[in-house]
Amino acid sequence: MSLRGALHRLLIHSRPRFWLYTAGPFLVGYGAGAAAPSQFAEPKFIYGMLYFLLFANIYLYGVNDLFDLDTDLLNPKKAGPERAAAGATRLLAASAAASALAAAPLALDPTAAALVALYLALSTAYSAPPLRLKARPLLDSYSNWLYIVPAALGYYLSSSRLPPPWVWAAGVAWTAGMHALSAVPDIEADRKAGVKTVAVALGPRRTMIFVAANWLATALILTARDPLLAPSLLYPATALYLALRPHLVPTWYWRFPAINAAMGALAFLYATRHIWSGYL
């Protein structure tokens, strides 16, 4: 395989559609902790955005593709890079290792290093044996708080503090709901492959009720902090709608990257309002 071909394949495996799921939290977290616009020009922010846009996703999805060949071959939703992993195992393994090493510049002190290690550990434990949390109902969803770790790291890099407990709680509930929703379109393929996810265990309708409960918890935590965060209630409302029409979940699943990007932009504006207030 040529260098150009290898880079193109890695780009596809990194799932550009989902890049904002890691880079977005880093951006919002960094902005929430920053004290001035000049901090966005610091090398640690620029490199952090690069890492969580590309390398963090090469690691996360590279490990996932390596250990999901059995179920991906049965899943029509995963007819692209996931199935192509069968012919690129060495490339994925090498790129995942390189992506883990690429996180080193973000490990600026013991706390930052611990957060980097936490992201890599959760990304690995979700897909790889012996834990393989993706095949353990409830643990599969509640291990997806790995997507909150970039936000915590961004916040720490800009403020030298960790996010308060309510941020972690809201993030854990939101990511659990997002994971469970994404598992619904995979139910048949996972069942055939013998992978018991939260969606396989609960079925489509009850899974969406589980999603709604988690997203309602997130919305209540956020709105209790500030009524301006009331738009978060759109998430449990959407989940309840899909609980009544579970056959629509596979279609709506592909709409969530755009929905989450729009809501993430609002979250960034809210998180950084203290920075821009003196400039408006």
Side-chain angles (χ1 to χ4, degrees):
M1 183 184 300
S2 67
L3 176 60
R4 181 177 180 181
L7 292 176
H8 181 258
R9 175 165 281 195
L10 287 178
L11 182 66
I12 293 173
H13 276 284
S14 71
R15 314 291 204 280
R17 181 190 290 267
F18 302 130
W19 279 5
L20 286 180
Y21 283 9
T22 48
F26 179 81
L27 174 62
V28 172
Y30 191 93
S38 59
Q39 286 184 255
F40 291 98
E42 294 178 355
K44 59 186 177 183
F45 169 72
I46 297 170
Y47 186 79
M49 283 299 295
L50 173 64
Y51 183 81
F52 284 108
L53 274 171
L54 182 59
F55 297 109
N57 288 296
I58 289 176
Y59 185 84
L60 174 63
Y61 293 112
V63 172
N64 181 261
D65 288 346
L66 283 169
F67 292 99
D68 270 12
L69 290 174
D70 53 353
T71 182
D72 288 348
L73 291 173
L74 300 169
N75 193 340
K77 191 183 90 175
K78 300 184 177 183
E82 296 89 346
R83 293 188 189 179
T89 54
R90 290 184 179 180
L91 175 65
L92 287 178
S95 62
S99 295
L101 293 174
L106 295 174
L108 300 178
D109 62 30
T111 300
L115 289 170
V116 168
L118 182 60
Y119 175 82
L120 296 174
L122 287 171
S123 298
T124 304
Y126 177 77
S127 298
L131 293 178
R132 192 160 166 76
L133 299 176
K134 73 160 293 172
R136 302 174 186 269
L138 295 183
L139 287 178
D140 56 349
S141 290
Y142 287 111
S143 65
N144 263 245
W145 62 281
L146 68 92
Y147 288 100
I148 299 304
V149 178
L153 179 60
Y155 185 82
Y156 180 77
L157 291 179
S158 62
S159 70
S160 298
R161 302 187 307 273
L162 289 172
W166 68 268
V167 172
W168 291 98
V172 168
W174 188 88
T175 54
M178 191 68 231
H179 169 271
L181 181 147
S182 72
V184 171
D186 299 340
I187 287 176
E188 290 306 316
D190 287 336
R191 185 177 289 129
K192 290 177 182 177
V195 178
K196 191 173 183 181
T197 66
V198 67
V200 170
L202 297 179
R205 192 180 304 276
R206 288 193 297 171
T207 298
M208 291 313 304
I209 293 173
F210 172 79
V211 172
N214 277 279
W215 282 351
L216 180 60
T218 296
L220 291 177
I221 291 170
L222 295 179
T223 53
R225 299 294 305 182
D226 191 335
L228 287 176
L229 295 172
S232 60
L233 289 165
L234 291 173
Y235 279 101
T238 301
L240 286 175
Y241 170 79
L242 292 174
L244 296 174
R245 298 169 176 80
H247 62 283
L248 296 179
V249 174
T251 300
W252 274 80
Y253 168 77
W254 294 109
R255 296 176 181 174
F256 269 93
I259 294 171
N260 291 336
M263 296 295 281
L266 292 177
F268 177 75
L269 291 175
Y270 177 84
T272 59
R273 68 196 187 284
H274 62 287
I275 300 177
W276 316 116
S277 59
Y279 296 83
L280 298 178

